[in-house]
Amino acid sequence: MAKPASALVEVRNLKKHFEVQKSFLGRSSTLLKAVDDVSFTIFRGETFGLVGESGCGKSTIGRTLLKLYEPTAGEIIFDGQPITRLTHKEMLPYRKKMQMIFQDPYASLDPRMTIAQIIGDPLAVHNIYRGKDRVDRVKELIELVGLKADHLNRYPHEFSGGQRQRIGIARALAVEPEFIICDEPISALDVSIQAQVVNMLEELQERFGLTYLFVSHDLSMVRHISHKVGVMYLGSLVEYASVHDLYTNMQHPYTRALLSAVPIADPDTAEGSERIHLQGDVPSPLNPPSGCAFRTRCPHALHRCAEEKPALKDSGNGHLVACHLLD
Amino acid sequence: MKLLQVENLKTTFHIDAGQVQAVRGISFHVEKGESIGIVGESGSGKSVSMLSLLKLLPDNATLTADNILFDGAQMVNTSQKAMRKMLGRDIGMIFQDPMTSLNPLFTVGEQIIEPLRIHQKLSKEAARQRAIEILRMVEIPSPEKRLKQYPHEFSGGMRQRVMIAIALSCSPKLLIADEPTTALDVTIQAQILDLMRDLKDKLNVSIVMITHDLGVIANMCNRIIVMYGGTIVEQGTTREIFYKPRHPYTWGLLRSIPQFTEGEKKKLISIPGSPPDLLRPPAGCAFTSRCPYAMKVCEKQPPQSVALSETHQAACWLMHPKAANHMREVIG
């Protein structure tokens, strides 16, 4: 993809800490560092894939970008404009440009609203397309995602998972956003339906020049849809590269282990492939290891890894890696 | 040696809206010591067919079959009560969600010891020793301490190890695993699959694994059953299904996973439409409405299963000799 790219979303040293386990009198509390000092840039018209295991903070990043969570520290710049410290009211015009598609199509649609109400809701919030225009716009949207206008008077329970996800996509597209955060949009769907939804997201991107943040734990789907990929572990970005660089020249031991753990859907390749076995579980984010968070499971951990947290460094070609082994 | 043989199994749920024909006449067998994978979309009948074998169906379900032979014994009319004696002893089961399949009010030890006391009539102390042994076998560190802990003190992967420990505690002949790794992260999934493979060889247990992940199957199973709309559309060895698939649904399933060859990225090929409504199953082949190669006969008559090799069968009208011309036309 050799087109001149301009940054749409820039994230600088973003932190999101949650206070948990408050003591009885509220004097002491533990901090859960869900996102700890993460920086990246998403370019216009591209898809940035964010991968990692559960609890690594990938969904929190998505929600913090939309300011559904108030960031603890750091800067979010949308289209050249810092939005980190905007009030709810000041944020409204930006919310129109940033939309979200959620993971669970069963929980993200209100069961008591008709499909027309669900898709028309963002139009009402932003007070655009009034009267008959709104009816037309809703019709246009439902057809855009491959459903029919006579579906509009039905309720969510009458639809399958894949159809519901299409309705969620139509709702996100209603206000003509530039940037859509897709938070595990396909993980609740069957394989054949996943392909339908992913193809549709790609078509819509081409047609409307959309920019996506695609949060997922499915590494092969992220490889398919993304232009740039970030790998997260326990609240930090450990590797960031273009999709080609990342999958052909992965550098961080965690990225390698994560990719080698994906079962290959090909019996011949599966037989010959060598797996990197990670021992144990992801440590608790309430009490993360000192230094590099991955060192407790890393097969190559050094002394230094326990003492010093590695910074993201360019290993050439804009391929960023946070690992002491590469020094 | 056949461990399990099922012929013409049908399961129907009676609900207010009518009869849901969840499983519509499936036949298959499981050899001793082999691992079989069942793939298909949600609602294709994979889980219900297994629950039917175990007689774990709700009261509104009816089950018929010509034959269910387990280790030589006829089980079609076995009562739920008699079945309870076999569950856990001869057949172990692992469920998808390790968070909900363990009882949060009992320690892990109590839950492992219970089947040992009931089925193997072990004394308290012997059962405890055996439980420690089993936990060690599923690679849980410091098992003596872990026995006294409750499920919430275990991580997802560890809970699934405990489930495997319980399922294998009485050395069953058959282990049914219903999406055992779907709720787990990939690195943990890899650990659990390795463990299951090791234990299968060590204990010589047959495994029936239900999954929608073709990657998991390619790594775990030597044979595959593909289900669609309550029927088996194709079955064969893992290599036959991956490299010589004959049913259009299997083709679609295999093509909808992202492929990466050098250079250009391919568009994902999806299967249009959605699965059939089993309240009103189609008269012919269940896949007709989504099949790009459908013919007139497909709508009217369900296709018969055709044997392609000793191990490979597919049920599709395209394999009928008269369809050869049509086949040439559509494929070109």
Side-chain angles (χ1 to χ4, degrees), chain B residues 257-290:
Chain B
I257 34 180
Q259 304 280 330
F260 300 97
T261 37
E262 282 307 302
E264 265 319 278
K265 109 175 172 187
K266 288 186 199 160
K267 201 172 151 62
L268 294 183
I269 298 168
S270 62
I271 308 175
S274 36
D277 180 2
L278 293 178
L279 253 177
R280 283 168 288 273
C285 167
F287 191 55
T288 313
S289 64
R290 301 173 79 188

Side-chain angles (χ1 to χ4, degrees), chain A residues 53-54 190 196 266 277-278, chain B residues 42 185 187 191 194 243 271:
Chain A
E53 294 179 271
S54 18
D190 274 315
Q196 286 178 12
D266 183 339
H277 293 262
L278 283 187
Chain B
S42 354
D185 278 314
T187 58
Q191 292 173 2
D194 280 346
Y243 301 133
I271 308 175

Side-chain angles (χ1 to χ4, degrees), chain A residues 53-54 190-192 196 199 202-203 220 223-224 263-268 271 275 277-278 280-281 297, chain B residues 41-42 155 185 187-189 191 194 212 215 218-219 239 242-243 260 265-268 270-271 273 290:
Chain A
E53 294 179 271
S54 18
D190 274 315
V191 192
S192 71
Q196 286 178 12
N199 281 340
E202 287 185 312
E203 279 162 29
S220 47
R223 181 176 186 180
H224 176 85
I264 305 164
D266 183 339
D268 281 348
E271 221 161 65
R275 286 247 185 97
H277 293 262
L278 283 187
D281 290 310
R297 298 171 82 196
Chain B
E41 293 177 66
S42 354
S155 68
D185 278 314
T187 58
I188 308 298
Q189 165 172 291
Q191 292 173 2
D194 280 346
H212 62 270
N219 284 269
R239 283 199 160 67
F242 271 92
Y243 301 133
F260 300 97
K265 109 175 172 187
K266 288 186 199 160
K267 201 172 151 62
L268 294 183
S270 62
I271 308 175
R290 301 173 79 188

Side-chain angles (χ1 to χ4, degrees), chain B residues 137-151:
Chain B
M137 185 176 79
V138 296
E139 294 158 26
I140 289 182
S142 46
E144 291 89 350
K145 200 178 104 205
R146 287 299 213 167
L147 271 188
K148 296 187 197 111
Q149 292 184 334
Y150 288 87

